[in-house]
Amino acid sequence: MSFPEIYAQASWSTNPGATPVWEDISGYLRSEGGISTKRGRQHTLARYETGVASAQFENRTSRAFDPENSLGPFYPNMKLLRRIRYGANDPSVGAPYLNCTGASGKYASCPDSVALSITNKIDIRVNCSLNDWTPSTTGTLAAKFGSVANGSWYFQVFTDGTLLLTVVVATIEWAFASTAATAFIDGTQHWVRATWDWVADQVKFWVSDDGVDTASGSITWTQLGATQAIVLGVFDDSTAVIELGSKETGTVQRLVGRIYRFVFGVLGGATLADVSFGGKKALFWNGEGTTLDAYSNTWTLQGGIAVTSAPRYLFSGFIESLPQTWPGMTDAIVDCSAADGFKILNLLKISDSYAQELSSVRVSNVLDDIQWPAADRSISTGQSTMQAAVLSDTPALEHLNRVTLSEWGRLFIGADGKLVFLDRHSNLKAPYDTSQGTFVDDGTANSYSDIEAIYDDTQIWNHINITRSGGTQSIVYNLISIEKYYQRTLSYEEQLTTSDAETLDQSLFLNALYDDPDFNFIVTLKPQRNDSLWPHVLERELGDRVTIKRTGPGS
């Protein structure tokens, strides 16, 4: 059985409310300590709690996680409440990669900048695998080329398996092919490289089988074919974007294969771009369409191109503590504890007034007032109208929870760090109306390892009393249930709804739902024994509908 690659990234250089700039810290994770996350609520009538995560990091190397170590790699930015996120890829699929299918308009791109406009000594490196290393049509690995009148270079694999570098000088395209073919086996992964030295008048091609995560400066390269002497002027600068997997905005000479990493810079000098789709340095996580590389270049997935097996979010939040320990005085460990966005929402206070408005509008307005990023929220349209409100120094989370309770919706922070607000009808709408997985006990695919069926009297309610602010009590008794289980009162006061009729409907609904006990299940999944379970373990989110099948003994 296979195990996922575990990822950890922190945004040391940004404050909690700023757009994160992620730095990979996966290499410091201790496998012994693992990663532990806890998200959810105690029962269906409870509020979702603040999600938490913990992980252990190795602190022997350069005392990296000591905030007072001025020689540490993250000094002086290692502070509490910095963002942190954990993820894992689906091992049943393999390492993440940019999936270049050859379809028109599908590619990854980075906009032009002064830093990326090199016109004399270029170094282009791509870690990739091609379905066919002698493709039926030329496949573009990377390009910075808009047209002959606006182009500087493109790097390709030719139909005979040779590598091809084309540069534009005085609006003329000059193509140079390696004098030897790669001879790679179809579907295998390799580094390929092209360098052009205007000073030495040389073009060279290179290959390597070093791993995808190897630092670009330490890869062992083997020259492919002979050095080619050229005498050309400085080739034309270009305002075109850098493309991966195609040229001319995904319209021609498209690649069919996988790109794991792209590195671009000055030959013998500085690296200017480094985007990784696979390995520990993976920058695109599941669902992301834009990311920054280590050199602050913005990379975007165009036309719906996918990063297959991109890391799935396990947790995204804010660092609460970084205690250091020294076991046996021979080791150095940091236990990192983090809390999700509910911690921030509880710290931020509101002093403002709100008009009568839909619950979802109120949630949006509160988030706007505390400057919660629009990209970090997912809000469904509410069903209930909230009363006008005047708040004074009120924690944002307190009011959001009150709105959610009045709506009878759900409010939580997703594994990706987004605030999620679901209205009370969300269970009846896509995707929540469809089971996302069926778990069984017969040893076939998606079999669980253990199951506990909880059947108790803790959630029996037969005397419901809901009152809105300024309204009258809406009381519902269930005499049959009271006769069986005695009276059990559930009360909610100061609801923000605008109608007594609505609170009465809520009381009637709860009375029908909780007048008798019902089953709750705790299911244990062990994907290390069954690869088909990994997508569920890594991708299921709070609120997802699932199906549980249990065959009792003797059934």
Side-chain angles (χ1 to χ4, degrees), residues 7 40 126 156 391 536:
Y7 300 82
V126 183
Q156 300 173 308
L391 305 180
H536 296 290

Tab-separated table of all heavy atoms in Angstrom, residues 7 40 126 156 391 536:
chain	number	residue	atom	x	y	z
A	7	TYR	N	2.751	17.742	3.117
A	7	TYR	CA	3.245	19.086	2.820
A	7	TYR	C	2.961	20.023	3.989
A	7	TYR	O	1.921	19.918	4.639
A	7	TYR	CB	2.567	19.657	1.576
A	7	TYR	CG	2.784	18.848	0.323
A	7	TYR	CD1	2.009	17.729	0.040
A	7	TYR	CD2	3.781	19.200	-0.584
A	7	TYR	CE1	2.215	16.986	-1.100
A	7	TYR	CE2	3.990	18.461	-1.734
A	7	TYR	CZ	3.207	17.354	-1.991
A	7	TYR	OH	3.414	16.613	-3.126
A	40	GLY	N	-14.731	20.144	13.448
A	40	GLY	CA	-16.099	19.644	13.462
A	40	GLY	C	-16.890	20.153	14.649
A	40	GLY	O	-16.590	21.202	15.229
A	126	VAL	N	13.463	22.150	-17.373
A	126	VAL	CA	12.113	21.610	-17.203
A	126	VAL	C	12.231	20.163	-16.736
A	126	VAL	O	12.960	19.363	-17.344
A	126	VAL	CB	11.300	21.663	-18.511
A	126	VAL	CG1	9.874	21.154	-18.262
A	126	VAL	CG2	11.266	23.080	-19.074
A	156	GLN	N	11.508	23.183	-26.955
A	156	GLN	CA	10.578	22.151	-27.390
A	156	GLN	C	11.247	20.771	-27.496
A	156	GLN	O	12.473	20.650	-27.468
A	156	GLN	CB	10.006	22.528	-28.770
A	156	GLN	CG	9.256	23.851	-28.782
A	156	GLN	CD	8.855	24.267	-30.178
A	156	GLN	OE1	9.696	24.301	-31.092
A	156	GLN	NE2	7.582	24.576	-30.369
A	391	LEU	N	-24.126	46.869	16.842
A	391	LEU	CA	-23.136	46.130	17.607
A	391	LEU	C	-22.088	47.084	18.166
A	391	LEU	O	-21.717	48.066	17.518
A	391	LEU	CB	-22.448	45.081	16.731
A	391	LEU	CG	-23.363	44.090	16.004
A	391	LEU	CD1	-22.519	43.113	15.183
A	391	LEU	CD2	-24.236	43.333	16.990
A	536	HIS	N	-11.165	9.784	-0.174
A	536	HIS	CA	-12.157	10.150	0.842
A	536	HIS	C	-11.482	10.758	2.071
A	536	HIS	O	-11.940	11.772	2.612
A	536	HIS	CB	-12.969	8.922	1.246
A	536	HIS	CG	-13.783	8.360	0.133
A	536	HIS	ND1	-14.888	9.014	-0.378
A	536	HIS	CD2	-13.654	7.216	-0.600
A	536	HIS	CE1	-15.407	8.296	-1.359
A	536	HIS	NE2	-14.678	7.218	-1.507
